[in-house]
Amino acid sequence: MTTILFAAGQRAWPAWQAPLRAALVEAGIDADLTLQAAPEDVDVMIYAPGGDTPADFTPFSNCRLVQSLWAGVERIAPNPTLTQPLCRMVDPGLTQGMVEYVAGHVLRAHLGVEAVKSAQQAHDWAPVIPPLASERPVAILGLGALGAACGRALVGLGFQVLGWSRTARQIDGITCYHGAAGLRDVLAQAEIVVTLLPATAGTENTLNAETLALLSQGAAIINPGRGSLIDDDALLAALDSGQIGHATLDVFRSEPLPQDHPYWVHPNVTVTPHIAADTRPSTAARVVAENIRRMLTGDPLLNLVDRSAGY
């Protein structure tokens, strides 16, 4: 029997217990899924930062897999005590949630909803016809599983999609760029920018005073990726000057967003409370079970984290 420790917090347990048990049975895995176990008995740990298990993985000497319930692993991967294989969460529900969030807010920016609301409040009948989607360049910064899925969805809506990643990628329908020069090329063309990069030392402040200045006047920023991707002071200055027309922000360096943060009250900022892509037990449980099955059979693990890259 495989001992599986649910180390993602007791508050999460009621939502996950039944879907995980069902998925394990469906995968043919004889398992003891538990909230408590002697560390040396644990074969698999289902993990999320801030859960009930200390962030010292050393006692779990026989653990063969740490499966994160989060897509981002920047709070787990650097842990020096973690020597077990670490896999991040990529599941259909999480991906679909992100696609819906990005598509909705890109369309909102494209259609000028904020300007329409302002005109309505002023009783101003001022028809402004937006361009067609094919005439609107949208940049996706980050072409991992989520970025690629969002890019494809926007292509399906007719947008001109530009993609950027650290290394070269090829995705049908998306004009892909990479490297420092590629980032400048993408930003110089984009009118809407979506940031879906991982949080690493190399991606911190990707959008800063210099890179924001490359965008067309009044461009829109949508950040459902990581708070560290944006220099907050630079973004606020760009919003105040009109260089950036609107920013929709779902993630922040400190969460919950502090009550006195300028983003709350800025007229050209929309704050959403980290809701773009939640992990849904109904779909993610099958991903967990499949990775446990692969571990037991020796098959390649899904979404194995590259520790050197940090994702």
Side-chain angles (χ1 to χ4, degrees), residues 33-309:
L33 177 65
T34 179
L35 278 169
Q36 291 184 326
E40 64 273 14
D41 293 338
V42 173
D43 299 300
V44 176
M45 185 185 297
I46 299 172
Y47 187 77
D52 302 320
T53 301
D56 182 1
F57 294 88
T58 306
F60 299 91
S61 54
N62 296 312
C63 181
R64 292 187 282 160
L65 169 64
V66 175
Q67 174 65 60
S68 172
L69 294 184
W70 292 7
V73 292
E74 65 274 6
R75 289 177 57 186
I76 312 171
N79 190 323
T81 69
L82 178 64
T83 59
Q84 300 87 345
L86 171 66
C87 293
R88 63 190 184 89
M89 175 55 65
V90 177
D91 93 281
L94 186 152
T95 300
Q96 183 62 27
M98 181 64 82
V99 166
E100 291 175 7
Y101 182 96
V102 168
H105 286 286
V106 165
L107 283 169
R108 180 167 159 260
H110 169 63
L111 297 173
V113 171
E114 292 303 316
V116 171
K117 287 169 58 180
S118 295
Q120 179 180 348
Q121 290 169 359
H123 296 198
D124 183 12
W125 184 273
V128 177
I129 308 301
L132 295 174
S134 59
E135 300 167 332
R136 180 83 75 185
V138 179
I140 303 284
L141 307 185
L143 295 174
L146 294 178
C150 291
R152 292 188 189 101
L154 294 175
V155 168
L157 290 171
F159 285 100
Q160 179 188 156
V161 180
L162 315 169
W164 181 81
S165 54
R166 186 173 58 88
T167 57
R169 297 287 303 273
Q170 287 188 330
I171 301 173
D172 289 345
I174 299 175
T175 305
C176 296
Y177 298 77
H178 69 281
L183 178 61
R184 291 192 294 271
D185 289 342
V186 166
L187 295 179
Q189 300 174 66
E191 296 179 11
I192 300 173
V193 177
V194 181
T195 51
L196 284 168
L197 293 160
T200 67
T203 63
E204 185 167 5
N205 293 336
T206 295
L207 293 183
N208 52 45
E210 180 183 353
T211 52
L212 290 170
L214 296 172
L215 292 164
S216 59
Q217 183 83 9
I221 303 293
I222 300 167
N223 183 21
R226 290 290 178 262
S228 61
L229 302 178
I230 297 178
D231 180 328
D232 292 327
D233 290 338
L235 178 57
L236 287 164
L239 286 161
D240 290 341
S241 72
Q243 171 62 16
I244 301 302
H246 194 87
T248 298
L249 308 174
D250 186 57
V251 287
F252 308 91
R253 292 175 186 269
S254 177
E255 295 184 359
L257 185 66
Q259 286 296 308
D260 60 351
H261 199 287
Y263 284 149
W264 281 116
V265 295
H266 200 288
N268 295 324
V269 173
T270 296
V271 170
T272 60
H274 204 144
I275 58 170
D278 198 17
T279 303
R280 291 167 168 81
S282 59
T283 55
R286 289 189 175 91
V287 177
V288 174
E290 173 60 15
N291 246 358
I292 295 172
R293 185 198 69 76
R294 287 170 176 254
M295 181 209 73
L296 293 171
T297 58
D299 292 329
L301 295 170
L302 299 171
N303 310 305
L304 183 65
V305 172
D306 178 351
R307 301 292 177 80
S308 63

